Amino acid sequence: MSRLFGIPDDWKASTDDFPTLSSNEQNTVEENVTKYYGYQEDVYADGRIQLFIRQHVSYLNYSLRKLPQAYQCLDASRPWLIYWILHSLDLLKKTPPVDFKLSIIDFLSRCQSPEGGFAGGPGQIPHLAPTYAAVCAVCIINLKEGYQMINRNTLQNFLISLKTSDGSFRLHEDGEVDVRGVYCAAVAARLTNIATPELFKDTPEWIAKCQTYEGGIGSVPGMEAHSGYSFCGFASLVLLGHEDRIDQKSLLRWAVRKQMQLEGGFQGRTNKLVDGCYSFWQGGLFPLLNLVIYMKGDKSIDLEEWLFDDVALQEYVLVCCQHPKGGFFDKPGKPRDFYHTCYCLSGLSVAQHVGNQYKTKNVVGDPENELAPTHPVYNVHPSHVIDMQQYFNALPPP
């Protein structure tokens, strides 16, 4: 049922006559979301809601060259900003000219540490998170100059230096340990062909310890299940070929229950609010789980259907998360940013395409809303993944 033509009262969250701070916040979000859906009913009587492609491309292209002053606080996340913006443009089927791509490669080369890996900016310490972002940005740029810029020997040494005795990875020297580190290391290693059995020894077993009684995966063993960590944990197991180390159906059941009935988007944790970024962190789990469970012989899984309401998710992203001047935000009332722009578009792409061939399933609203597909493990275009792996797989591991 489309939310554009009215929302039933029984879809609203119940307080059981015992309101709390959390339930009050949920009620506020529901009121705001209902208003947004109501506005769309007035504007788009035929239900053909639109993706503001021109505005998004303008917002992203401008910001790739000149960031607003407010982004000074992300000086240690500059490869992330590049990745978020490049991937968003790629999903919108737009790409910067080659000369500008080369200038991006030059900048990323200055973020590469002599010790291996990439830092959040020139002269900073190397860190697994910007290493992931930089490698994925090079993948999206899809030029041999980018591939050749990556120092695989020092990158491998950097990953080895962050490996702990229990199989987990620190995010930087003397830094914190959590499942994001495993995912960032696994993606960087697989895309550049530097993975070895020793590098990821005991890692699948450590990830399995992070699965909680709810079915989702927490940041470390004993912590609460969270969609971002669940995606990172399960995607890492897929990359390492050890999907069976966790209870997959329990994870699937947990993920299904995170889609909000009224809003249509996903929450990241139990009893938390909807957030547009979870359109990918939660939505991206379904292509992986569908395929893995199907390959185990469970024919109740349909590879042509995701086990979430893809129409509801698209409506939430398009109606409740778009800024009219370009960019996306978390939920009504929040400011736009590049992080939410990237992951709202990524989740929208997942909802629009199904199967191993990324066939178009269902594009809500205007047919021009269709995005390019995204790889459910790496979250970059599937063809870019193929090109990068073909290049590096022709080289021997360091």
Side-chain angles (χ1 to χ4, degrees), residues 10 17 25 33 38 48 87 104 109 178 205 263 266 287 307-308 313 318 342 351 379 381:
D10 61 3
D17 297 323
E25 290 179 345
V33 166
R48 289 167 66 91
H87 183 48
I104 295 173
S109 73
D178 66 47
E205 290 78 9
E263 300 92 313
F266 285 101
L307 293 176
F308 68 92
L313 181 62
L318 291 169
C342 174
N379 199 24
H381 195 290

Side-chain angles (χ1 to χ4, degrees), residues 297-309:
D298 189 335
K299 302 308 178 185
S300 66
I301 297 293
D302 185 351
L303 293 181
E304 301 299 314
E305 293 285 343
W306 299 148
L307 293 176
F308 68 92
D309 189 335

Side-chain angles (χ1 to χ4, degrees), residues 13 16 18 34 57 65 73 163 165 169 178 209-210 240 245 248 288 304-305 310 312 314 317 338 349 378 380 383 389:
D16 295 322
F18 192 80
T34 301
V57 171
R65 292 163 172 78
C73 63
K163 176 79 178 297
S165 60
F169 283 79
D178 66 47
K209 294 175 184 177
C210 297
L240 300 177
R245 295 294 176 143
Q248 297 159 8
L288 303 179
E304 301 299 314
E305 293 285 343
D310 57 275
Q314 290 184 64
V317 171
F338 304 116
S349 175
Y378 298 100
V380 296
S383 67
Q389 289 185 325

Side-chain angles (χ1 to χ4, degrees), residues 250-264:
S250 177
L251 175 59
L252 176 61
R253 186 164 51 248
W254 175 82
V256 166
R257 291 173 175 171
K258 293 295 156 289
Q259 189 166 21
M260 307 296 280
Q261 182 167 257
L262 185 147
E263 300 92 313

Side-chain angles (χ1 to χ4, degrees), residues 151-204:
N151 188 325
R152 296 164 70 232
N153 289 292
T154 59
L155 176 58
Q156 187 182 61
N157 291 337
F158 174 62
L159 298 184
I160 291 171
S161 74
L162 298 177
K163 176 79 178 297
T164 72
S165 60
D166 62 8
S168 62
F169 283 79
R170 297 190 182 281
L171 284 161
H172 60 89
E173 184 180 2
D174 297 326
E176 72 272 29
V177 168
D178 66 47
V179 77
R180 293 173 303 162
V182 174
Y183 175 66
C184 292
V187 167
R190 286 297 184 203
L191 284 177
T192 60
N193 190 30
I194 60 172
T196 65
E198 187 62 27
L199 179 59
F200 293 103
K201 183 177 183 295
D202 298 325
T203 299

